[in-house]
Amino acid sequence: SSSVMNISEHLSCPLGFGHYNAVDICILETVVIVLLTFLIIAGNLTVIFVFHCAPLLHHYTTSCFIQTMAYADLFVGVSCLVPTLSLLHYSTGVHESLTCQVFGYIISVLKSVSMACLACISVDRYLAITKPLSYNQLVTPCRLRICISLIWIYSCLIFLPSFFGWGKPGYHGDIFEWCATSWLTNAYFTGFIVCLLYAPAAFVICFTYFHIFKICRQHTKEISDRRARFPNHEGDAAGDTGHSPDRRYAMVLFRITSVFYVLWLPYIIYFLLESSRVLENPALSFLTTWLAISNSFCNCVIYSLSNSVFRLGLRRLSETICSSC
């Protein structure tokens, strides 16, 4: 009971009608955060190991971006150990303001990396389908490494102003009291983040996937017309298999992107409303924040369910672990 009282005193939990209700909510929040932390770390470690065990996954250059996202999501899970340990054993000797700022900055940078990787993946698939003959000359390993490096640098720089008192980097659902009461959002900084990160990434993804599926639909229609005219034509099979894998892989990546924005849209909306002082609700803050962070685990589930090569690598990894045990 003393640990529960300790948690309820130091967490910024949504307050209920009574003390016991508030304690129950704090315990529920603790369970959610601990469970998500475990799932994110375990899921992304699995993705990273599977990529090392399945060489066929390296056939696409997007595998580099997928692995970058997996590492970023893994670091999200590791970063979530900070509030998890704070919930389980709070230490008053820690500089709460510094811990809160660093934790919020790291989480924001890592999710920015994921968002930028999704945008780069959509551009990569767009180039693969619209320029198949010159794709290998356009997308080289060197350019790929430079692009990933720029993603990390840009993500680190865009949230730096938060350390100089210009708003909050976007982390809500505050675990530390200082974050909730003393570190406030700023409408101008929020607009700055939206204009330089959220909006461009969303525009690029919508533009590229719209054209990808439009081209794939036209290609499928042309193949169907040729088959109707020439039922025994040998070139149809070659034409079909040439684009079908790209289309299926684009669908997998489109599902990952769609789930990402579905989970992040409530967070972004609340971020804008809170920054404009239109809405301020601790319960909504906690719910939208950890719903968005749960995406770090959802990517693993979507990829394992949608990609047959990934499932094969996962089966090999499981067999290796079982045989060693």
Side-chain angles (χ1 to χ4, degrees):
S1 59
S2 60
S3 61
V4 171
M5 294 292 293
N6 193 25
I7 290 173
S8 63
E9 288 174 2
H10 294 287
L11 293 184
S12 303
C13 301
L15 296 177
F17 294 102
H19 173 72
Y20 290 103
N21 192 16
V23 171
D24 291 340
I25 292 174
C26 290
I27 294 173
L28 178 62
E29 290 184 0
T30 305
V31 171
V32 170
I33 295 172
V34 172
L35 180 62
L36 274 180
T37 301
F38 172 77
L39 290 176
I40 290 171
I41 293 176
N44 286 285
L45 279 176
T46 303
V47 170
I48 292 168
F49 286 135
V50 168
F51 265 93
H52 286 291
C53 296
L56 288 176
L57 284 170
H58 297 277
H59 175 68
Y60 295 98
T61 55
T62 48
S63 64
C64 295
F65 292 112
I66 293 290
Q67 289 182 78
T68 302
M69 287 175 57
Y71 280 108
D73 290 335
L74 175 63
F75 292 144
V76 168
V78 173
S79 300
C80 287
L81 288 174
V82 175
T84 301
L85 295 175
S86 298
L87 289 168
L88 298 177
H89 187 270
Y90 187 84
S91 175
T92 55
V94 177
H95 294 287
E96 191 176 347
S97 60
L98 180 61
T99 304
C100 177
Q101 284 183 312
V102 172
F103 176 67
Y105 174 78
I106 291 175
I107 289 289
S108 300
V109 168
L110 293 174
K111 299 316 297 179
S112 172
V113 169
S114 295
M115 194 174 295
C117 282
L118 288 172
C120 290
I121 285 172
S122 67
V123 173
D124 177 82
R125 289 299 90 198
Y126 176 78
L127 293 175
I129 290 177
T130 58
K131 301 181 183 297
L133 299 179
S134 58
Y135 174 76
N136 290 330
Q137 286 74 36
L138 290 172
V139 183
T140 62
C142 180
R143 290 177 179 175
L144 199 61
R145 287 191 291 269
I146 292 174
C147 182
I148 292 174
S149 300
L150 290 176
I151 287 174
W152 282 98
I153 294 172
Y154 183 78
S155 299
C156 290
L157 291 177
I158 195 173
F159 291 103
L160 270 182
S162 63
F163 276 108
F164 300 98
W166 192 32
K168 208 173 187 178
Y171 175 70
H172 300 280
D174 304 304
I175 300 302
F176 301 102
E177 186 179 357
W178 187 89
C179 291
T181 58
S182 302
W183 200 16
L184 302 178
T185 53
N186 183 290
Y188 295 106
F189 183 69
T190 302
F192 172 77
I193 297 297
V194 169
C195 292
L196 293 185
L197 179 62
Y198 296 154
F203 174 78
V204 169
I205 288 170
C206 292
F207 175 84
T208 51
Y209 278 113
F210 173 79
H211 285 84
I212 285 171
F213 291 118
K214 181 181 178 182
I215 292 168
C216 289
R217 189 165 55 248
Q218 291 174 350
H219 184 76
T220 303
K221 186 176 181 298
E222 291 173 0
I223 292 175
S224 301
D225 292 340
R226 284 203 303 269
R227 282 179 173 172
R229 294 178 185 178
F230 311 102
N232 297 323
H233 198 273
E234 295 179 358
D236 292 338
D240 191 9
T241 56
H243 243 288
S244 183
D246 279 335
R247 188 175 186 275
R248 286 196 298 269
Y249 198 62
M251 280 299 300
V252 174
L253 299 172
F254 179 71
R255 291 189 194 107
I256 293 175
T257 305
S258 300
V259 171
F260 181 92
Y261 276 95
V262 166
L263 295 177
W264 272 81
L265 189 59
Y267 168 83
I268 295 172
I269 293 174
Y270 181 83
F271 186 26
L272 293 170
L273 293 176
E274 187 184 272
S275 301
S276 304
R277 302 296 182 265
V278 175
L279 176 65
E280 188 171 350
N281 187 302
L284 280 177
S285 175
F286 179 86
L287 181 63
T288 55
T289 296
W290 291 95
L291 184 67
I293 291 177
S294 69
N295 176 257
S296 297
F297 171 70
C298 293
N299 289 341
C300 317
V301 177
I302 298 169
Y303 210 73
S304 60
L305 294 177
S306 303
N307 191 287
S308 58
V309 179
F310 184 88
R311 290 196 299 271
L312 178 61
L314 183 59
R315 186 162 59 248
R316 288 179 179 175
L317 178 62
S318 302
E319 291 172 355
T320 302
I321 295 175
C322 290
S323 62
S324 63
C325 292

